[in-house]
Amino acid sequence: MNLPADLSYTTDHEWIAIAPGAGTPAGEVRIGLSAVAVEALGEIVFVELPEPGTELTAGEPCGEVESTKSVSELFSPATGTVVTVNTALADNPALVGEDPYGEGWLFTATVSELGAVLDAAEYRAKNEG
């Protein structure tokens, strides 16, 4: 299971580009869907993302991902404001599954408060079994 150690993860399977234990970042950070979620969802066929300017609340729904298996809500890993969305996903939502930590990122946000997150080892431990 590919889980970059420099990211933080939620139990809802999103990642946020904040190093575990780091403070609230000053700039915008990327947010995406973890490889665990991608593997469970299968082929991703549609992604609904929040519009730039949307206020996020940590742990609250902020979008949806539709796959050939199911539709799943996206939950924000932090409280803050959406800055940009990955417009490439409108034409090619499969990027989320092909490269979840690279070209398949979902959106960026400025963060005022980080929600409950895990480091890669904690997240891995919760999802192996």
Side-chain angles (χ1 to χ4, degrees):
M1 181 181 339
N2 179 19
L3 298 173
D6 60 339
L7 303 176
S8 296
Y9 301 86
T10 70
T11 57
D12 294 313
H13 308 295
E14 286 80 19
W15 58 261
I16 185 166
I18 296 176
T24 303
E28 62 189 89
V29 296
R30 281 188 175 178
I31 293 168
L33 200 59
S34 78
V36 172
V38 166
E39 185 176 315
L41 286 167
E43 184 182 350
I44 295 172
V45 295
F46 181 74
V47 179
E48 180 183 320
L49 299 174
E51 295 290 323
T54 300
E55 296 293 323
L56 303 167
T57 301
E60 295 295 318
C62 61
E64 287 186 345
V65 174
E66 183 177 339
S67 73
T68 54
K69 294 181 180 178
S70 67
V71 176
S72 299
E73 288 186 307
L74 295 172
F75 294 91
S76 179
T79 297
T81 305
V82 175
V83 178
T84 60
V85 297
N86 186 351
T87 56
L89 300 181
D91 293 332
N92 188 7
L95 282 173
V96 177
E98 294 167 3
D99 190 9
Y101 304 110
E103 296 300 313
W105 61 278
L106 300 176
F107 59 92
T108 66
T110 55
V111 174
S112 59
E113 184 177 347
L114 189 60
V117 293
L118 308 169
D119 65 29
E122 293 167 328
Y123 182 70
R124 181 184 309 278
K126 286 197 172 289
N127 290 288
E128 289 181 339

